[in-house]
Structures are given as structure tokens and as C-alpha cells.
Amino acid sequence: MVAKSGKPFRARVVSNVKLTEGYYLMRFESPGFYLEASPGQFLMLRTDMREAPLLSRAFSICSVSKKGDVVTCSVLYRLVGITTELMSMKKEGDFVYILGPLGRGFDLTGGFGKAVLVSGGTGIAPILFLSHTLSSRPGTEVKLYYGARSAGELAGLGLFADSRINLKVCTDDGSAGERCAVTVLLEKDLGSLESRETAVFACGPVPMLKSLKR
């Protein structure tokens, strides 16, 4: 799935909610072809075509849904610079400029019956999309390991309403869940996983991914 056009489109903001300190979830109206987007794909976003910064920023797609005739897409973001600060000021009815979906997404082929998802920090954004996609597949068991430095950085925690997902949480400072790295949390359960029927998907900081590979 690739972008239908090489030009950004103007998208109306439906909501822009502060989740925790410094973390927001923005939803905006999208063209119908966004329903074909795959977990792991991303989009390029600008707050205004006339303002600085001149370059778009990349954001993972967090969710895509349809209600009536309206398709909406969401991105989870953290305040880290000018673009995200301008995004946080957007209100319902304002507009942003979007190019996407882009990228190849996660490879969901294969006959796995169990999916292990590992996420650190803002890496939860594409994992959210992936978890809901996989949990809707008949016969697929989904386990999610979600870690962050503190409880305040578990920004996506309140977005998990799907009881079919087995969620385990940890933080570096012990303020939520177990006090450990997310890969340590997973390692404790490795003995209960059958490698021939389990697929692992991950998104997070490079040190986390390196540890997960080991």
C-alpha cells in the first residue's frame, strides 16, 4: 500500500487529545483509501503549507477507522520540537497536511497462531494499530509487552480497550507494572512460547531492538 498521490492533502482535525504530559493523540479525516493502510506504515505531516518548519515530519499510523461515511486516521506524538508544538495547538475543525500512507508495514504472512508484540516508548503507536488488527483475526492470540521510563510515558496505555489482548507493562522506575526493561519482562515468559507457532513484532528505541534480537 503506497500513497495514492505525491501531493499532500488537507485533512480536517477531528480531535487532538492530551494523553499524558507531553503526549497527544490527533485524529483527522482521511480519504477512503486509508482503510487499506497496514500496521507499520507511516505518513508525513505538516501543520501548514505556508509556515515554518518547511519539512514534513514522519508519524506512524496509530489507527484507521470508519464511522458512517467518514474515515479517520490517528497519530500519537510526543512534544519534541516546533512541528509537534504546532500540532498540539490544533483544535477540532483546524487542518493539517498529510502525505501517505507510506512504507511497507509489518509482514503478517505465515501461519502463526500467537503474536508477541514488544514496544518501548512512542514505539507503541504502530503496535497499537497492529495489536487491534491481529486480535481481530480468528484463532490469533496476542500478547503485548509495553515498557517506558515511567508511568507518565506509557502514553498509549489508556487506548487499549480490547480485552482479547494480553497486556503486560513495565517501567524503568517501577512507577507502573514491573520495574525492569521490557525485554526482561519478555524473557521471563520465553519458556511458555512455542517458536514454531509464534511471531514477534517490535517497535521502539534501538537499544531495545538490539536487546530483543539477542
Side-chain angles (χ1 to χ4, degrees):
M1 169 69 188
V2 297
K4 298 291 185 178
S5 171
K7 295 182 180 180
F9 62 87
R10 191 172 77 150
R12 189 181 73 87
V13 175
V14 175
S15 62
N16 193 24
V17 180
K18 184 177 181 179
L19 300 176
T20 61
E21 190 61 38
Y23 291 82
Y24 292 77
L25 183 76
M26 177 183 285
R27 292 174 57 238
F28 46 83
E29 293 182 0
S30 309
F33 62 78
Y34 260 68
L35 291 172
E36 302 173 37
S38 301
Q41 288 192 297
F42 66 96
L43 52 82
M44 304 299 294
L45 184 148
R46 286 187 64 173
T47 55
D48 197 302
M49 297 300 286
R50 298 165 296 175
E51 295 180 355
L54 296 176
L55 298 178
S56 301
R57 283 281 308 276
F59 296 93
S60 294
I61 296 174
C62 189
S63 70
V64 180
S65 61
K66 183 178 182 181
K67 186 175 183 179
D69 294 329
V70 179
V71 176
T72 59
C73 177
S74 71
V75 294
L76 187 154
Y77 63 97
R78 179 168 63 97
L79 293 181
V80 293
I82 296 175
T83 296
T84 49
E85 183 177 353
L86 291 172
M87 286 173 64
S88 70
M89 298 176 186
K90 293 289 184 178
K91 298 179 176 59
E92 180 182 354
D94 290 342
F95 292 91
V96 290
Y97 294 83
I98 307 297
L99 176 63
L102 302 167
R104 297 180 61 182
F106 293 104
D107 182 0
L108 304 184
T109 60
F112 60 90
K114 294 183 180 180
V116 172
L117 316 184
V118 186
S119 173
T122 53
I124 194 62
I127 295 297
L128 272 166
F129 191 6
L130 178 63
S131 66
H132 294 309
T133 298
L134 291 176
S135 65
S136 65
R137 288 170 43 162
T140 302
E141 178 184 339
V142 181
K143 290 186 176 182
L144 171 60
Y145 297 82
Y146 182 18
R149 288 181 292 186
S150 66
E153 296 194 30
L154 291 169
L157 197 56
L159 303 177
F160 283 99
D162 194 334
S163 60
R164 295 169 296 181
I165 300 172
N166 184 349
L167 175 63
K168 293 192 174 184
V169 173
C170 65
T171 50
D172 292 347
D173 63 2
S175 54
E178 293 192 40
R179 184 174 185 173
C180 64
V182 69
T183 48
V184 172
L185 194 64
L186 170 62
E187 190 172 13
K188 294 179 180 180
D189 292 345
L190 283 181
S192 65
L193 299 175
E194 172 55 59
S195 62
R196 288 176 296 180
E197 62 180 27
T198 303
V200 179
F201 304 88
C203 186
V206 172
M208 184 205 86
L209 297 175
K210 288 183 176 179
S211 178
L212 180 63
K213 182 180 180 180
R214 288 194 296 269

